[in-house]
Amino acid sequence: MLNTLRNALTVPDIRKRVLFVFFAFAVFVFMIHVQLPNVNQAAWNSLIQSGAFYQFLGFLSGGALQHLSIIAMGITPYINASIIMQLMTVVIPQLEEMAKKGGEEGRKTISRYTRYLTIVLGTIQATSMSIAMSRGGVFYDHSWQFIVYAVIAFVSGTMFLMWLGEQITDKGIGNGVSLIIFVGIVLRFPTQVSQTFSLANKGNVNWFGLFLWVAIALVTIVSIVFMYQGQRRIPVQQARRVVGRKLYAGRSSYIPLRLNNAGVISIIFAISILLLPQQALSWFGGSSRDTHSVAGTISFYVTTYFGPQSFLYNAVYFLLVVIFTFFYSAIVVNTRDIAENLKKSGSFIPGIRPGQPTVDYINKILARITTAAAIYLGLLAVIPSLQRDVGLTSLYIGSTSLLIVVGVALDSITQIEARLAMRDYRGFINR
């Protein structure tokens, strides 16, 4: 990896792209400190600590939510819009036709629809957040004009991050949106590490637990790399073809099926569903301390018996991750299209007849590898709760954060290697 980065910096074009990515990171860090006016920081810190949903959004924003910056919502509305549009392309035939056969124009149209949906979702989220903050005493100005101003500021911040991500994709290296999430997570690591070692020096953290955390972190990172890079290769044989007067012999190749087709999407779906009811209760004025109201009573029982530390919470969390992993893998990998493309190209899987038998065979293999990936992701999702039991509260393995950081790093390195290979290929042609 280090050799790849060193070789990339010697190439002017790649070096320019890498420097642009770091410049975009600097702009993102600057935007974190552009705070919304009329904010009671003490009341806001108290509200963040009492809401797990805000903490979930905060780790993706790199501290922007804690500062209540104009980019406090982060890139989350755009991610949700992208996921919804990806699901809609499977449900709505017109969108599916546009995505498969529309070419560049079809992709631009779907991208435009995604931006419109981002504005809608961002407005809904910003409105609910602004009203909840106003009721919680976060704003000094409680007028509806300031609430509208806050909504416009939050939505504009999200749209700016979406634009910044597109600029990184076009002029930099890697997926821009993923890199923005990546830097948002990495920015929080130094603070968490320093807090952990500070507590350890004061005797508030068990050193054995800290050593255990390091060991689990290393094993987790290695396993994530294996799951991202792992493939199940299905052998494919191409039949002999006669083109004109020439006879072309059959060639052997393979279909690469990734072990983890869902990536981090299944965990994000699961944790969003788990945290949304509790946050909705707080939006409607339900507090676990106020048991005199209906919403407060419901919030009390949800917090007591369905908290992040409870067995029921982690069991449901594990089950949701498994279900969404299967669901998303079925959407990403269209086995019927794979079988049709093999049939059109005159290729076949040895020992398997073309058509429906090929679809059934690929579905059988996909079900096996998805089962392994789903169980792995489910266990990875509940690891933080297990680590809290050993006394590490300020720093624990975040399954979502580790998956994103490792996955984005691997994807960026792969793209750098592809550009280096393309450069070497062009140089060979010139010689």
Side-chain angles (χ1 to χ4, degrees):
M1 180 180 294
L2 295 177
N3 291 332
T4 301
L5 292 175
R6 184 168 55 251
N7 295 333
L9 293 178
T10 60
V11 181
D13 179 63
I14 300 180
R15 182 172 65 246
K16 181 179 179 181
R17 289 179 173 273
V18 172
L19 292 177
F20 181 83
V21 171
F22 281 101
F23 172 75
F25 288 168
V27 173
F28 175 77
V29 173
F30 172 77
M31 293 299 296
I32 289 176
H33 299 280
V34 181
Q35 191 182 42
L36 198 71
N38 294 328
V39 173
N40 186 344
Q41 192 64 43
W44 174 233
N45 292 335
S46 176
L47 187 61
I48 289 181
Q49 295 299 326
S50 62
F53 186 77
Y54 285 128
Q55 296 178 18
F56 169 68
L57 293 179
F59 97 96
L60 292 175
S61 63
L65 188 66
Q66 285 72 15
H67 290 88
L68 202 54
S69 166
I70 61 174
I71 59 170
M73 293 196 306
I75 201 72
T76 306
Y78 179 73
I79 297 175
N80 296 334
S82 300
I83 295 173
I84 292 174
M85 286 302 301
Q86 196 169 13
L87 298 177
M88 294 299 288
T89 53
V90 180
V91 177
I92 302 177
Q94 291 82 356
L95 290 178
E96 184 179 7
E97 185 77 12
M98 189 182 302
K100 291 183 177 180
K101 302 179 181 179
E104 184 65 23
E105 189 65 28
R107 286 190 291 271
K108 288 182 179 180
T109 302
I110 294 179
S111 179
R112 186 169 63 251
Y113 291 162
T114 304
R115 294 190 186 99
Y116 294 155
L117 185 58
T118 301
I119 296 176
V120 174
L121 296 179
T123 302
I124 295 174
Q125 182 177 335
T127 303
S128 59
M129 286 177 56
S130 300
I131 294 176
M133 292 173 189
S134 180
R135 291 179 177 178
V138 176
F139 298 150
Y140 290 115
D141 187 352
H142 301 286
S143 63
W144 67 268
Q145 292 91 340
F146 184 79
I147 293 179
V148 172
Y149 168 78
V151 170
I152 295 175
F154 287 147
V155 175
S156 300
T158 296
M159 299 307 294
F160 172 80
L161 289 182
M162 183 187 68
W163 173 83
L164 185 63
E166 293 177 350
Q167 297 303 309
I168 294 175
T169 303
D170 294 337
K171 302 178 182 179
I173 290 180
N175 184 278
V177 175
S178 300
L179 286 172
I180 288 177
I181 299 175
F182 170 85
V183 70
I185 296 173
V186 171
L187 285 174
R188 297 178 61 87
F189 280 173
T191 302
Q192 292 178 336
V193 171
S194 63
Q195 290 176 353
T196 299
F197 281 99
S198 176
L199 292 175
N201 292 329
K202 296 178 181 178
N204 295 330
V205 174
N206 187 0
W207 282 102
F208 173 76
L210 185 61
F211 174 78
L212 182 62
W213 177 87
V214 174
I216 294 176
L218 292 176
V219 173
T220 304
I221 291 174
V222 172
S223 63
I224 290 174
V225 173
F226 174 78
M227 291 299 295
Y228 261 96
Q229 302 289 80
Q231 294 179 348
R232 171 62 163 89
R233 297 181 176 181
I234 303 177
V236 173
Q237 184 69 34
Q238 189 176 30
R240 292 185 299 176
R241 296 181 302 166
V242 178
V243 181
R245 297 182 179 181
K246 293 184 179 181
L247 176 64
Y248 292 89
R251 296 181 300 173
S252 299
S253 59
Y254 60 87
I255 301 174
L257 292 180
R258 294 179 55 188
L259 294 180
N260 183 14
N261 291 294
V264 74
I265 299 299
S266 58
I267 295 181
I268 293 179
F269 270 15
I271 196 171
S272 299
I273 290 178
L274 286 174
L275 296 180
L276 187 58
Q278 183 178 355
Q279 187 60 36
L281 289 173
S282 66
W283 286 340
F284 286 102
S287 175
S288 58
R289 300 177 182 177
D290 181 18
T291 57
H292 298 288
S293 62
V294 177
T297 303
I298 297 176
S299 179
F300 172 77
Y301 283 105
V302 168
T303 305
T304 304
Y305 300 103
F306 200 68
Q309 302 293 333
S310 65
F311 173 79
L312 180 61
Y313 177 91
N314 287 280
V316 174
Y317 192 8
F318 178 86
L319 184 62
L320 287 176
V321 171
V322 171
I323 292 175
F324 284 129
T325 300
F326 275 97
F327 177 73
Y328 198 76
S329 296
I331 293 177
V332 173
V333 183
N334 193 326
T335 56
R336 189 166 298 277
D337 286 350
I338 295 176
E340 291 180 357
N341 292 332
L342 289 176
K343 188 175 182 180
K344 290 178 181 178
S345 62
S347 303
F348 61 93
I349 300 175
I352 306 298
R353 295 177 57 188
Q356 187 60 37
T358 300
V359 175
D360 297 336
Y361 179 75
I362 298 177
N363 282 331
K364 183 179 179 180
I365 294 178
L366 184 63
R368 291 177 178 176
I369 62 178
T370 304
T371 300
I375 295 175
Y376 168 79
L377 292 175
L379 293 175
L380 195 63
V382 299
I383 280 180
S385 297
L386 300 178
Q387 281 194 280
R388 293 189 185 98
D389 295 336
V390 301
L392 290 176
T393 56
S394 64
L395 181 61
Y396 57 88
I397 294 181
S399 54
T400 307
S401 59
L402 278 181
L403 278 173
I404 293 175
V405 169
V406 176
V408 172
L410 290 174
D411 180 66
S412 300
I413 292 298
T414 301
Q415 292 198 26
I416 292 176
E417 290 176 347
R419 290 186 177 275
L420 287 173
M422 184 173 59
R423 172 181 174 273
D424 294 337
Y425 178 76
R426 287 177 178 175
F428 173 76
I429 294 297
N430 292 334
R431 288 195 296 269

